[in-house]
Structures are given as C-alpha cells and as structure tokens.
Amino acid sequence: MIVVASTNGKVGIEAASNVLRSGGSALDAVEAGIRLVEANPEDHTVGYSGLPSILGEVELDASIMDGQTLCSGAVGAVKTYKYPISIARKVMESLPHVFLVGEGAERFAHELGFEQENLLSDEATKVWREGLERTLSSKAIEQLSSHKDLSSLVRLATDPERTKGTVNFIAQDAKGNIATGVSTSGWAWKYPGRLGDSPVIGAGNYADNRYGAAACTGMGEMSIRGCTAFSLISHMKYGKSVLEAGTLAMEELRSLGGNFIQDMNIVALDKEGNHAAFSSIVGKTYIYQTPDMASAQELERVFVKLDKRWQLDS
Ligand code: GLY
C-alpha cells in the first residue's frame, strides 16, 4: 500500500494514507487526499482560491482513473463547485460518459446536491489584478468581458511562469488496485474555456493495474500533445522500469515543435509499488507515504532537461 503525490499534496497525504490503513480503496484514498488540496485556500493552483482565467473567473478541471477497470471520469471548466475531483468520480460511477464540461458539469453537480460556492478568494483576486496590471491598463482590465479581441490580450497577459500548478495523487490499496487523481485551476489568466491535461485521460492522468500509474503537472498543452501519462505507462508495458519509462516520456516532449514549450513534471508508480518522479526543473520534489510511515517523505525528482521556448510574436 502506498500513496504518491505532487508536493502540494502534503495537506492531503495523511488523509489518503488513513483511508488505506483502514482498508479503504485506492479510489477513496485519492479522492480524500485531493479534496483537502482543493479546499486549501493557500494553494492557488487547485480548487478554491485557484487563480482565475483572464476574465477573473475560476475554472476548475479534474479527473480520476481506476486502474482495475480502466474506468475514468473527468470534468472541465467548473466554476462554482469546490470539489471537482468528487464530481469527476460521480461522472465515472453514475453516468455512461467519461467527460463533462462547463454548464453540463455544473448541472450534474447540482443534481447530485454538491454545494455551490464562490471559488474566487480575495487573495486570488489580488494576484489576478496585479498579474494583469503588469501588461494591461486599468481601463483594459475593467472592459475585459466585452473585449472584442480577448485572444490578443491573453497572449499579452500570459505569464509563462504561471503555466504550472496542479495536484497529483496516486494510490495503491491492499488489494493491489491502483487509482490516480488530478485536479487543477489550470493556467492562470487562461482564455475562458481552456482545458489543460488534468482532465484529459492519457495526457495528465493514467492508471492501469497491470503496469502502474502516472500523473502530470506543468504545461498541459505539452502533455496533451505528448499523451504523456499514457506514454509513461506504455513504456512500462513494453518492459521499461518506472525510472526508464518516466525519463523516456519526458524526453519525448523534446520533439514537440511550436513556440510554446515550458515545464513538465510527472509522478509515477509501478504495480510493485516502486515510485519515481520527473521534472524539467532542477530540485523539484514529490512526496510518498506508506501506511507504516508516521508522515510523508519528500524526495527529489529526476531532472530531465527540456529547452523552454516562449515566443509571442510569430
Ligand atoms: N497541468 C495543468 C494545466 O495545464 O492546466
């Protein structure tokens, strides 16, 4: 039994471990851990108090995957519900669908009796305003919602240092079942409706009991294009160790063309419980906890160099 998470999962890893200690499932552990990160007002990359779109609206994405059945559920662009991971789980368990977005996802959450709330905290509003003021006039900010060319403003306001931020949880329970969950408020100041990799199965999230699981944080546009979570699993399927598979999945991102390349991070677990994590940033960490451990241990990720490219004018 084990829980592996991105380092911002610290607030939830004990709860996830407790689920496993008391005989709960990997899916329950992942959901319990992520809910605490989604509720954490100090984390501006996930759930309540996440940084908003360019219009100042929080839009949350999440997905969950069951490695036993390969069933999955995902939601995107959820604006008024704090726990998208739980909505994603309900999509998986009670609909014949995998992925709901926007109004449909909100309607489904309402039908299920989830509590609706304002997700934009005062602190996130302040950071949003200060972020936009670096490139936009006060007048432009006031008139954003009616602006005719929002896409050019998104390109101006986009801060590549804010493309990151998401939480990953992977758990393996006493029966050997593996589950993964990913939740995010996405890229700060994104164009409304932008979805990253977190709710896209195979891109930001994948679990398969036969091999293991992987989940990503970082610039979702890259892991969508590289099918990065699935890429790692497929390398394990063809005999690579978790360490080799993660390095290969990261290295494959070097072949992505185009002008917008930033950072990528992966956490991974194989079916034997071996874990590893990878980052294009030196010194980045991840955490893990087994039920016999009193607290989570933080370990450094394997660094895999990816050259950044960020060119707005061509
Ligand atoms: N990895 C989170 C996102 O790109 O939205």
Side-chain angles (χ1 to χ4, degrees), residues 163 186-187 190-191 194-198 203 218-228 253 256 260-264 310:
T163 56
W187 186 340
K190 62 194 169 189
Y191 197 95
R194 176 267 185 190
L195 299 175
D197 59 329
S198 306
M219 187 180 177
E221 282 73 3
M222 291 165 60
S223 35
I224 290 174
R225 294 166 65 200
C227 302
T228 300
L253 297 172
L256 297 179
F260 299 103
I261 298 297
Q262 259 285 321
D263 295 310
M264 183 49 54
W310 204 264

Side-chain angles (χ1 to χ4, degrees), residues 266-280:
I266 319 176
V267 294
L269 180 76
D270 72 16
K271 67 179 193 306
E272 274 85 35
N274 301 305
H275 50 90
F278 308 85
S279 180
S280 59

Side-chain angles (χ1 to χ4, degrees), residues 97-286:
H97 305 316
V98 167
F99 201 169
L100 293 181
V101 297
E103 278 177 29
E106 298 252 331
R107 181 186 175 119
F108 178 63
H110 178 71
E111 279 181 27
L112 291 169
F114 282 81
E115 191 188 339
Q116 201 164 24
E117 55 195 290
N118 173 22
L119 303 179
L120 188 64
S121 68
D122 291 345
E123 175 63 19
T125 307
K126 185 166 163 278
V127 179
W128 170 73
R129 214 177 162 94
E130 285 170 0
L132 293 198
E133 275 169 359
R134 272 188 246 139
T135 42
L136 301 178
S137 68
S138 298
K139 190 166 170 228
I141 296 173
E142 296 316 323
Q143 294 172 353
L144 276 175
S145 58
S146 59
H147 203 283
K148 298 248 177 340
D149 186 13
L150 206 52
S151 56
S152 65
L153 294 188
V154 168
R155 284 165 69 86
L156 274 177
T158 296
D159 174 353
E161 292 309 314
R162 290 201 183 278
T163 56
K164 313 179 263 289
T166 296
V167 67
N168 298 153
F169 265 77
I170 301 173
Q172 184 177 41
D173 61 30
K175 293 181 179 155
N177 290 323
I178 301 175
T180 1
V182 182
S183 185
T184 190
S185 51
W187 186 340
W189 336 144
K190 62 194 169 189
Y191 197 95
R194 176 267 185 190
L195 299 175
D197 59 329
S198 306
V200 179
I201 297 302
N205 184 353
Y206 206 80
D208 184 331
N209 275 7
R210 294 172 296 175
Y211 314 110
C216 304
T217 62
M219 187 180 177
E221 282 73 3
M222 291 165 60
S223 35
I224 290 174
R225 294 166 65 200
C227 302
T228 300
F230 183 75
S231 159
L232 189 154
I233 301 303
S234 101
H235 287 302
M236 293 205 291
K237 176 174 176 176
Y238 293 110
K240 301 294 184 195
S241 69
V242 65
L243 201 57
E244 292 166 331
T247 304
L248 286 167
M250 289 286 285
E251 285 174 351
E252 275 164 21
L253 297 172
R254 291 180 186 156
S255 60
L256 297 179
N259 292 333
F260 299 103
I261 298 297
Q262 259 285 321
D263 295 310
M264 183 49 54
N265 316 282
I266 319 176
V267 294
L269 180 76
D270 72 16
K271 67 179 193 306
E272 274 85 35
N274 301 305
H275 50 90
F278 308 85
S279 180
S280 59
I281 304 168
V282 176
K284 208 162 153 88
T285 61
Y286 73 108

